[in-house]
């Protein structure tokens, strides 16, 4: 199984969630062993996608370098990871990725338009060798050695529509597109009001998020899935874990996980080389893995 990039450059324009202004996004192919590299065209600064460049995880995953930042990267990264893309240049002309409809489906469609092409160097993948856990109170996220790739997430909110939800994704690209990609980000009216008072979430609307008051969903079309909330948490987790720098073999499990806990998990994983091994895929094992990204 070989490394991959996209077949051609593609672009779109969408609204930024926090500034509420149009953002132009362009994806370009990159050569082997380049990884995912972000570029702020308005500032002339490149930001490689590595855990050391994460500068904020309160409301979204934010990367930065030389005082230049790009926020809300996790939805797009989730799609990039699901398509097994190793090398890619992401160009934006503002400090955030367009929110689109609050899910990753628009980015999946963009990648479909670009096409995924094999390169001439074997794909590297990380195999989880030891359990790694980050826990704060009753909240935790962890990685578990496994020959499979499952994402197992549980959330609990004191809200009548959400309450407690659990979901397990048996990871393949097709399962991701069918079960996860359409799940939108969500928030509560009182949170939106507070954020806007701080000059944030100015682009947030019922067009790009599921919004709830104290009792119900305010979106007139309702939910896309009865458990859309926990499915979106898996979408976020896949994007956050892509900061490891490659696809991995192992299981992810979380209870009330967050961007912050996911970031701490990537740091804890990479801190000790005994936690993992990086392998170049030989033909026998790559056949099984290739099915996941077919």
């Amino acid at each position: 199984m070989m490394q991959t990039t996209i077949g051609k450059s593609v672009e779109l324009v969408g609204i930024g969630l926090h500034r509420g202004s149009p953002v132009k996004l362009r994806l370009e192919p990159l050569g082997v062993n380049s990884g995912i590299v972000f570029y702020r065209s308005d500032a002339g600064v490149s930001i490689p996608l590595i855990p050391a460049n994460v500068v904020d995880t309160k409301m979204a995953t934010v990367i930065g370098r030389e005082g230049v930042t790009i926020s809300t990267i996790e939805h797009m990264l989730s799609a990039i990871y699901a398509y097994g893309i190793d090398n890619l240049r992401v160009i934006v002309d503002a400090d955030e990725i367009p929110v689109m409809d609050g899910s990753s489906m628009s980015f999946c469609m963009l990648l479909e338009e670009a096409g995924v092409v094999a390169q001439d160097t074997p794909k590297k993948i990380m195999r989880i060798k030891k359990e790694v856990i980050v826990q704060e109170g009753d909240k935790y996220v962890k990685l578990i050695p496994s020959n499979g790739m499952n994402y197992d997430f549980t959330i609990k909110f004191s809200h009548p529509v959400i309450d407690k939800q659990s979901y397990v994704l048996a990871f393949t690209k097709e399962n991701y597109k069918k079960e996860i990609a359409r799940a939108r980000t969500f928030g509560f009216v009182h949170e939106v009001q507070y954020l806007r008072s701080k000059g944030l979430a100015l682009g947030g609307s019922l067009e790009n998020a599921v919004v709830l008051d104290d009792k119900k969903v305010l979106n007139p079309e309702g939910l896309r899935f009865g458990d859309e909330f926990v499915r979106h948490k898996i979408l976020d987790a896949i994007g956050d874990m892509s900061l490891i720098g490659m696809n991995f073999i192992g299981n992810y499990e979380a209870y009330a996980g967050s961007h912050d806990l996911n970031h701490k998990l990537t740091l804890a994983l990479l801190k000790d080389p005994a936690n993992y091994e990086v392998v170049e895929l030989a033909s026998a094992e790559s056949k099984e893995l290739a099915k996941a990204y077919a």
Side-chain angles (χ1 to χ4, degrees):
M1 190 174 182
M2 297 293 153
Q3 292 184 28
T4 62
T5 187
I6 55 174
K8 65 176 182 179
S9 297
V10 287
E11 59 186 50
L12 56 73
V13 176
I15 296 297
L17 176 63
H18 288 304
R19 305 299 175 210
S21 302
V23 179
K24 182 180 177 181
L25 168 74
R26 180 177 172 87
L27 305 182
E28 295 182 348
L30 271 187
V32 298
N33 298 320
S34 297
I36 310 297
V37 180
F38 286 74
Y39 180 71
R40 275 278 301 272
S41 59
D42 59 321
V45 173
S46 289
I47 310 173
L49 185 70
I50 57 174
N53 284 337
V54 174
V55 296
D56 191 6
T57 53
K58 288 191 289 291
M59 297 301 300
T61 298
V62 184
I63 55 172
R65 184 168 165 262
E66 300 175 9
V68 175
T69 62
I70 303 174
S71 71
T72 324
I73 62 175
E74 60 274 5
H75 299 170
M76 183 189 64
L77 286 177
S78 186
I80 291 169
Y81 184 99
Y83 278 68
I85 296 171
D86 300 289
N87 307 300
L88 187 69
R89 191 175 193 228
V90 179
I91 303 172
V92 286
D93 62 356
D95 61 356
E96 55 186 326
I97 299 296
V99 67
M100 308 313 289
D101 73 344
S103 75
S104 66
M105 184 51 75
S106 294
F107 303 114
C108 291
M109 294 169 65
L110 193 64
L111 294 173
E112 295 278 355
E113 179 187 345
V116 180
V117 296
Q119 298 174 286
D120 61 2
T121 301
K123 187 180 182 76
K124 294 178 181 177
I125 199 156
M126 182 178 289
R127 189 183 299 278
I128 306 302
K129 294 180 67 177
K130 293 172 61 178
E131 181 175 302
V132 182
I133 185 168
V134 174
Q135 188 159 7
E136 294 180 358
D138 63 344
K139 302 176 180 179
Y140 72 84
V141 292
K142 64 180 175 180
L143 291 169
I144 308 160
S146 170
N147 289 327
M149 296 179 288
N150 292 337
Y151 286 80
D152 182 345
F153 212 115
T154 298
I155 59 173
K156 186 171 176 62
F157 285 81
S158 55
H159 190 283
V161 176
I162 307 176
D163 194 25
K164 186 176 183 179
Q165 296 184 356
S166 297
Y167 198 83
V168 179
L169 171 72
F171 180 83
T172 67
K173 184 178 80 171
E174 287 307 312
N175 285 350
Y176 175 87
K177 287 162 62 179
K178 181 173 65 176
E179 301 174 30
I180 301 299
R182 293 176 57 244
R184 296 162 294 177
T185 192
F186 62 94
F188 302 91
V189 168
H190 63 88
E191 292 177 341
V192 174
Q193 292 169 341
Y194 171 77
L195 288 170
R196 285 183 173 169
S197 74
K198 300 293 183 180
L200 299 172
L202 300 179
S205 73
L206 298 179
E207 301 296 320
N208 53 41
V210 177
V211 182
L212 306 100
D213 63 14
D214 292 339
K215 296 180 180 179
K216 64 185 182 300
V217 171
L218 299 181
N219 303 63
E221 76 279 11
L223 298 175
R224 294 176 176 175
F225 307 95
D227 53 2
E228 186 169 357
F229 308 98
V230 71
R231 292 184 193 228
H232 184 80
K233 288 291 188 178
I234 290 176
L235 186 157
D236 278 346
I238 291 171
D240 287 343
M241 297 310 297
S242 72
L243 275 101
I244 290 173
M246 64 191 74
N247 293 88
F248 66 89
I249 297 176
N251 291 341
Y252 169 97
E253 182 181 318
Y255 177 80
S258 63
H259 297 304
D260 185 55
L261 288 177
N262 288 335
H263 174 53
K264 289 173 179 174
L265 182 61
T266 63
L267 295 177
L269 170 70
L270 298 174
K271 185 177 182 181
D272 185 355
N275 290 332
Y276 61 90
E277 63 177 339
V278 176
V279 295
E280 285 191 351
L281 289 176
S283 58
E285 61 184 337
S286 69
K287 284 181 183 177
E288 284 303 309
L289 195 68
K291 293 178 184 177
Y293 300 103

